[in-house]
Amino acid sequence: MEEIKNILEISHLVKSFGNHEVLKDIDFTVKKGDVISIIGASGSGKSTMLRCINLLEIPTGGSILYHGTDITNPKMKVATYREKVGMVFQNFNLFANLTVLDNCMVGPVKVAKKDKKEAEELAIKFLKKVGMEAYIHAKPKQLSGGQKQRVAIARALAMEPEVLLFDEPTSALDPQMVGEVLNVMGTLAEEGMTMLIVTHEMAFAKDISSHVIFMADGVIEEEGSSQEIFEKPKHEKTKAFLSRFRNL
Amino acid sequence: MISDMNFLQRIIYILQNYGMSYLKGAGTTLLIAIVSTVIGCIIGFAVGIVQTIPSDKTRDSLGKRFILKFFKIILRAYVEIFRGTPMIVQAVFIYFGLSQLFGIQLGMWKAAFLVVSINTGAYMAESVRGGIFSVDSGQMEGAKAIGMTHFQAMINVIIPQAFRNIIPQIGNNFIINIKDTSVLSIISIVDLFFVHKSVAGALYTYFESATIVMCIYLTMTLVASKLLSLWEKKLDGDDNYELVDMMDIGPQLKKERERK
Ligand SMILES: Nc1ncnc2c1ncn2[C@@H]1O[C@H](COP(=O)(O)OP(=O)(O)O)[C@@H](O)[C@H]1O
Ligand SMILES: [Mg+2]
């Protein structure tokens, strides 16, 4: 029974901004190798949930267990936890002052305290994986959106995280650049990377996910396997939401 | 006799007899301006960084939050006081205040560096704070997401970008300092303006001496502006980048490191 371990157990997660309750009693678990897509209308709380998992937002209530330890406990070292849970943002957030290579090396060197040579090898290994190794000397502002996002993925991978969180990684991209980023994510999924992906790319989500979560108004309205959600959704809200993506 | 000379002859006469004094005065002015701007920037960055430390209600202890708040208030007061009073008054206040209240004889040189530095520091603190806030908040989130602490993110990501943003203000402060060291003649610093006052007073050539001094100040500030804009260009780096052939990435990078 314990063969596949829970990396994350989220229970009764609540997040309010002032008296606006954005997340209400969220429960789910993330097992090693899971690829979980999180879908739902804009404003339903998807980003807030990912940001809570990475503690970029501090949850108002509930718990997030990471290998059994509650990381919402104020005594937890947040930075150490974040090393293991990487995040890829809609707006890339590449470090504007650093080259592509340094973007991927600064974490391993300054945070993981690896020596320069090892960090460089690591950075190049992951830049190769995302097909950006030729651009190591470029600055972020010199790259296209798709290239930036691939570098951002390499930067997250260079920390060798256990889980990667993606918050609409292709939403800021021109349509012709979406594919290159999704391809990289597909490869990661095949290799067994544990991922939580907030996305509006339904065909991609259907294809890649081991599990799908549909959120509406701060709650998990429905969840299940990719087939269950995309082919026979049970709840009205899920059906209504999915009917907007008829090209599935 | 100097009273028989025309304007140009007087200027030449002054330069022949007192040229070295003017140059020495200009040197003193530059020295104080450069050293104080550098120290002022260091102060400004330190203050700006402390002022932007976030205080976390749930994770920081009450003691830590109290100490932080205390320091922030002190620094706020420092900034307000030194931006809100004329440097000439600060110079007198510090020079004579230290000796009268604490018996510290600072000496005019130390007093000069001290006054201009902490004055610059107060202005730079505001610039640094603004520079830090002007960096896109996504940069801090990106840094945190790979496990950086607040300080690691500041040092590696935020401050370098803030620094680039405020170089124009550093330049401004430097130019202001070149001009404003003139008030230090109040504590007997022999800077360019002091030389002017002495020479002009001895020869009754106020206009001629002022002309010379104007030219010297203007030369210094123009050269300073030019150097600063060159520095900005250099920091912005090349607009182009080279694609790297990955077949031999290892050795290539190694060679580059060796060259550096
Ligand atoms: N920092 C914040 N302060 C106040 N309200 C916020 C904040 N962040 C998000 N919200 C609100 O929370 C709700 C959910 O937002 P979000 O998690 O971004 O939704 P989604 O990612 O699903 O579009 C929205 O109503 C939004 O206005
Ligand atoms: Mg969102």
Side-chain angles (χ1 to χ4, degrees):
Chain A
M1 155 109 202
E2 278 297 330
E3 318 143 304
I4 303 180
K5 279 198 282 182
N6 287 341
I7 299 179
L8 289 167
E9 282 171 63
I10 291 133
S11 42
H12 304 298
L13 181 67
V14 174
K15 174 65 185 177
S16 306
F17 292 107
N19 51 17
H20 180 192
E21 198 168 69
V22 173
L23 295 178
K24 306 157 189 163
D25 204 27
I26 300 282
D27 284 290
F28 70 97
T29 55
V30 181
K31 290 190 175 61
K32 191 166 175 12
D34 276 353
V35 176
I36 303 178
S37 288
I38 299 155
I39 59 173
S42 149
S44 56
K46 306 179 299 294
S47 295
T48 305
M49 186 171 88
L50 278 198
R51 292 167 60 81
C52 280
I53 293 175
N54 204 3
L55 294 180
L56 287 174
E57 303 287 355
I58 303 299
T60 316
S63 62
I64 299 172
L65 302 188
Y66 171 68
H67 293 299
T69 312
D70 188 357
I71 50 115
T72 63
N73 182 335
K75 293 205 181 69
M76 269 290 300
K77 279 253 183 292
V78 180
T80 322
Y81 163 72
R82 288 204 188 106
E83 279 183 58
K84 292 291 135 209
V85 181
M87 181 134 176
V88 174
F89 301 87
Q90 182 173 346
N91 294 317
F92 329 118
N93 295 347
L94 287 179
F95 305 135
N97 57 316
L98 301 179
T99 62
V100 164
L101 183 63
D102 287 336
N103 261 278
C104 298
M105 280 177 65
V106 68
V109 171
K110 302 288 177 183
V111 178
K113 310 286 182 202
K114 292 188 158 61
D115 68 53
K116 280 236 158 101
K117 196 166 156 289
E118 193 185 347
E120 187 179 300
E121 279 165 13
L122 208 60
I124 286 173
K125 172 177 147 193
F126 290 112
L127 283 168
K128 277 185 178 166
K129 179 177 280 296
V130 301
M132 285 299 293
E133 71 275 20
Y135 295 85
I136 49 174
H137 297 313
K139 286 284 187 77
K141 67 170 182 209
Q142 298 165 324
L143 303 177
S144 74
Q147 292 175 325
K148 280 185 208 171
Q149 196 59 297
R150 286 187 282 146
V151 173
I153 293 172
R155 177 179 71 178
L157 288 172
M159 296 306 294
E160 304 184 292
E162 271 190 271
V163 186
L164 267 187
L165 313 176
F166 293 84
D167 190 3
E168 300 199 30
T170 59
S171 294
L173 302 182
D174 292 336
Q176 73 270 22
M177 291 169 186
V178 170
E180 63 190 68
V181 172
L182 295 185
N183 281 341
V184 168
M185 293 170 66
T187 312
L188 293 177
E190 272 167 31
E191 291 172 0
M193 186 75 205
T194 311
M195 308 198 282
L196 262 65
I197 307 166
V198 173
T199 185
H200 293 295
E201 297 291 331
M202 292 304 154
F204 170 74
K206 184 180 176 184
D207 199 42
I208 197 181
S209 310
S210 59
H211 196 81
V212 178
I213 290 176
F214 171 66
M215 286 185 71
D217 299 325
V219 297
I220 295 180
E221 186 72 22
E222 183 168 355
E223 61 177 312
S225 68
S226 180
Q227 254 201 341
E228 284 168 331
I229 298 295
F230 286 109
E231 276 160 26
K232 10 185 198 333
K234 296 192 189 72
H235 295 230
E236 283 311 314
K237 278 186 188 170
T238 322
K239 286 178 195 165
F241 176 74
L242 288 173
S243 71
R244 286 195 258 145
F245 303 89
R246 265 309 87 193
N247 54 345
L248 280 178
Chain B
M1 210 40 227
I2 193 153
S3 53
D4 304 326
M5 298 176 184
N6 67 24
F7 176 71
L8 212 60
Q9 288 169 324
R10 286 182 181 193
I11 287 196
I12 291 166
Y13 176 83
I14 294 172
L15 285 178
Q16 275 168 346
N17 290 280
Y18 299 97
M20 267 331 275
S21 303
Y22 282 101
L23 277 186
K24 271 191 194 148
T28 301
T29 291
L30 260 188
L31 180 71
I32 295 175
I34 291 173
V35 172
S36 304
T37 305
V38 170
I39 297 176
C41 282
I42 294 169
I43 297 174
F45 270 95
V47 173
I49 288 169
V50 173
Q51 281 180 324
T52 51
I53 296 175
S55 159
D56 185 337
K57 279 202 185 75
T58 53
R59 278 163 200 271
D60 295 341
S61 69
L62 197 66
K64 187 177 163 193
R65 277 192 289 150
F66 177 79
I67 291 170
L68 188 59
K69 184 85 201 162
F70 178 76
F71 271 107
K72 283 184 181 176
I73 290 173
I74 299 275
L75 293 177
R76 190 75 241 151
Y78 155 65
V79 170
E80 294 301 343
I81 289 169
F82 280 90
R83 289 199 318 156
T85 54
M87 193 156 75
I88 190 165
V89 182
Q90 292 164 13
V92 177
F93 185 78
I94 287 178
Y95 186 57
F96 293 102
L98 281 179
S99 91
Q100 216 157 310
L101 291 179
F102 305 104
I104 301 173
Q105 302 297 338
L106 207 47
M108 60 187 197
W109 281 101
K110 281 184 189 157
F113 285 120
L114 186 70
V115 170
V116 186
S117 297
I118 57 183
N119 186 280
T120 310
Y123 280 94
M124 284 310 302
E126 282 303 279
S127 302
V128 171
R129 212 163 63 97
I132 288 172
F133 282 126
S134 73
V135 174
D136 172 33
S137 63
Q139 296 288 308
M140 180 56 99
E141 296 204 331
K144 285 186 170 168
I146 56 170
M148 285 196 194
T149 61
H150 175 79
F151 279 102
Q152 287 174 329
M154 281 308 233
I155 299 300
N156 295 298
V157 178
I158 309 295
I159 295 295
Q161 293 181 49
F163 183 73
R164 172 63 193 86
N165 290 344
I166 63 177
I167 288 178
Q169 275 130 298
I170 296 177
N172 245 345
N173 271 303
F174 180 51
I175 286 168
I176 289 172
N177 283 343
I178 289 177
K179 295 185 296 173
D180 282 6
T181 45
S182 59
V183 307
L184 294 173
S185 56
I186 196 96
I187 54 172
S188 309
I189 290 287
V190 185
D191 73 332
L192 184 53
F193 187 66
F194 191 99
V195 173
H196 157 72
K197 277 199 303 186
S198 316
V199 173
L203 303 179
Y204 294 103
T205 51
Y206 284 93
F207 179 49
E208 292 79 3
S209 177
T211 307
I212 294 171
V213 170
M214 288 276 278
C215 291
I216 299 178
Y217 274 119
L218 196 60
T219 309
M220 289 195 290
T221 53
L222 287 178
V223 170
S225 296
K226 186 67 202 165
L227 288 178
L228 278 156
S229 76
L230 285 177
W231 188 34
E232 269 181 67
K233 280 226 183 70
K234 182 158 185 287
L235 276 184
D236 283 345
D238 216 337
D239 275 344
N240 306 306
Y241 55 88
E242 270 173 53
L243 288 181
V244 176
D245 178 5
M246 269 300 132
M247 297 319 285
D248 51 13
I249 172 79
Q252 196 161 343
L253 273 186
K254 232 178 274 157
K255 255 185 273 157
E256 264 182 30
R257 295 279 137 79
E258 279 159 16
R259 247 186 283 138
K260 272 177 197 168

